[in-house]
Amino acid sequence: MLLVALIVVVGGLYGLATLVRLGRTLTDVRPFLSGHEPVEHAVSRYHVRWYTLTMIFLAFDMEMVFMYPWTLVVAEEGMTAVVEMFVFLGILFAGVTYAWREGALRWT
């Protein structure tokens, strides 16, 4: 019964959206690209080197995400918080060192 009610509500919302839209749906219009035809598909594949660079960015990003709150509680927690942060930074540094050794930062 709940599934039927859900289908009726969703169908009604789609019908209402069709009735109140301002213009017609243009399915044959190409995306705007300064008047040029696109040369590749919008969801084309990226080179694999971008994924490794993304992982390096995430490593530095996670470092900042965890360091800002850490600075607020380090005075209360004491030396254990300092040791935990250096262990965390060591793990991130090991990951970045591995990516560097594998050539993720080399663009040639």
Side-chain angles (χ1 to χ4, degrees), residues 2 10 13 15 25 28 34 46 49 51 62 67 69 72 82 84 87-88 98 103 108:
L2 184 62
V10 169
L13 288 175
T25 304
D28 58 344
S34 301
Y46 292 105
R49 109 178 52 154
Y51 295 113
M62 286 297 106
M67 280 187 97
L72 298 175
V82 174
E84 288 176 358
V87 168
F88 177 70
Y98 172 76
T108 57

Side-chain angles (χ1 to χ4, degrees), residues 34-70:
S34 301
H36 301 291
E37 286 292 319
V39 294
E40 61 186 20
H41 195 269
V43 290
S44 63
R45 294 179 179 218
Y46 292 105
H47 194 278
V48 72
R49 109 178 52 154
W50 289 107
Y51 295 113
T52 56
L53 194 65
T54 302
M55 290 298 121
I56 294 171
F57 168 75
L58 287 176
F60 287 116
D61 195 39
M62 286 297 106
E63 175 187 357
M64 288 297 109
V65 165
F66 287 115
M67 280 187 97
Y68 284 135
W70 173 79

